[in-house]
Amino acid sequence: MKIATVGVHVLDTHVIGIESIPEGSGGQLVETIRMSPAGTAGGTAVVLSRLGAEVLSFGGVGADPIGSVLAGLLAAEGIDVSGLVRKDDHQTSASVIPVRPNGDRPAWHCIGANGAFTLDDLPLAALEGITHLHLGGPEFLGGEAAGQLLAHGRSIGAVTSLDILAPGDPDMLAWIAAALPHTDYLLPNDEQVLGFTGASSLVEGAQALVAAGVGCVAVTQGAEGALVVTADEVIEVPAYPIEVVDTTGCGDAFSAGFLRGLALGRDLRGAAELGCAAAAQVAQGLGTDAGAYSLDSMIAFAAEPPRAP
């Protein structure tokens, strides 16, 4: 599996032990401050690399220290970051995530260079030889450009996948609609599916997205696991029993596990089980790069009996 992960790359900073924002210029001691690579392209790239895929990342980062840290963290995971383009007039996209004692995790986010990345920043020759093309955050490119990129991926024999960062909204779906017919696998969450389509159920919403041109929709449902829908079947895969520490990046981890499972020849159910297993690993620590695992250990974990839905 040689995959190009294109689009949103973010540096997340988790702050653990936030009780409140101190008054005035006051301070507060916290338990942990930790940085990790994230984003619908960057976070997915990390988990894919850990699961044995050859990964090339393409996206925009700033010419700033945040960009250097993000690129360094990705490279340390074995990811080819030569496709990350420095944008002099933009900072690197970053989030600060204060985690409260009860597990709530509001976030401050700066879009930064992700909003400045265009197809002109991605030489198509750099995609030669890939088997998969994953686009995270098509809303920044727009549907027409995203569709052009995915169509090119298909023309060179790559399997295409799409993960949307924005909340579910019919206008957002219309904005990226031109990309859907070129998408083999759409990887949204449950709130996005319902918001995009206005459907009364996830199955109906996913079926509407298939009718819009997507080959398969694999929906994450948090603690309920995943739902996989094609024109011919509906598959439910429950989550695995774990003690959740932080859910940041779980959707990206599912995408990685699901795509890796397909590349290994698993059927849709087996791929979704590997996706849920990857999400479970990430949820047990801080950030998308949480935990230590390999493809073999993940497959073994996925073989354990999951929690009933």
Side-chain angles (χ1 to χ4, degrees):
M1 184 182 192
K2 182 176 182 179
I3 183 167
T5 54
V6 181
V8 173
H9 290 74
V10 182
L11 183 69
D12 276 357
T13 299
H14 280 80
V15 185
I16 309 302
I18 295 289
E19 297 175 357
S20 63
I21 298 177
E23 296 291 336
S25 299
Q28 175 191 336
L29 293 177
V30 297
E31 298 172 19
T32 304
I33 298 176
R34 185 178 187 276
M35 295 181 178
S36 57
T40 45
T44 304
V46 168
V47 181
L48 279 164
S49 185
R50 290 189 177 189
L51 296 181
E54 180 182 352
V55 185
L56 301 84
S57 265
F58 298 88
V61 298
D64 55 13
I66 300 176
S68 298
V69 171
L70 177 54
L73 290 171
L74 291 168
E77 296 286 347
I79 297 164
D80 183 339
V81 296
S82 60
L84 294 182
V85 179
R86 295 279 186 163
K87 296 288 187 176
D88 293 335
D89 297 330
H90 300 269
Q91 79 149 78
T92 301
S93 180
S95 294
V96 176
I97 304 169
V99 183
R100 299 189 178 111
N102 67 356
D104 287 347
R105 52 181 190 95
W108 292 288
H109 179 67
C110 178
I111 291 174
N114 283 327
F117 181 75
T118 71
L119 288 188
D120 291 337
D121 296 314
L122 202 172
L124 295 181
L127 300 178
E128 291 299 324
I130 63 170
T131 60
H132 293 71
L133 173 60
H134 177 71
L135 175 57
E139 58 268 35
F140 292 106
L141 291 178
E144 292 293 337
Q148 291 173 25
L149 177 62
L150 295 174
H152 175 75
R154 279 184 167 176
S155 75
I156 59 175
V159 174
T160 61
S161 54
L162 192 66
D163 188 3
I164 304 161
L165 186 63
D169 181 272
D171 291 338
M172 178 56 65
L173 185 65
W175 173 245
I176 63 167
L180 300 183
H182 307 287
T183 302
D184 294 319
Y185 298 97
L186 179 64
L187 302 158
N189 61 40
D190 49 0
E191 293 180 355
Q192 288 174 322
V193 169
L194 295 176
F196 289 147
T197 64
S200 58
S201 73
L202 276 183
V203 171
E204 290 177 1
Q207 289 172 334
L209 292 170
V210 170
V214 174
C216 172
V217 181
V219 188
T220 55
Q221 305 180 78
E224 299 303 315
L227 176 75
V228 183
V229 176
T230 69
D232 302 316
E233 58 186 330
V234 175
I235 301 167
E236 292 189 66
V237 175
Y240 289 84
I242 59 166
E243 183 174 342
V244 175
V245 173
D246 173 46
T247 58
T248 305
C250 286
D252 303 326
F254 173 84
S255 295
F258 180 78
L259 295 172
R260 187 71 176 112
L262 292 173
L264 292 169
R266 289 182 167 230
D267 60 15
L268 291 175
R269 179 177 296 279
E273 288 172 349
L274 196 62
C276 287
Q281 294 298 313
V282 167
Q284 293 177 81
L286 292 178
T288 312
D289 62 347
Y293 50 84
S294 64
L295 177 60
D296 288 342
S297 68
M298 190 73 77
I299 290 174
F301 180 87
E304 297 175 7
R307 179 174 63 82

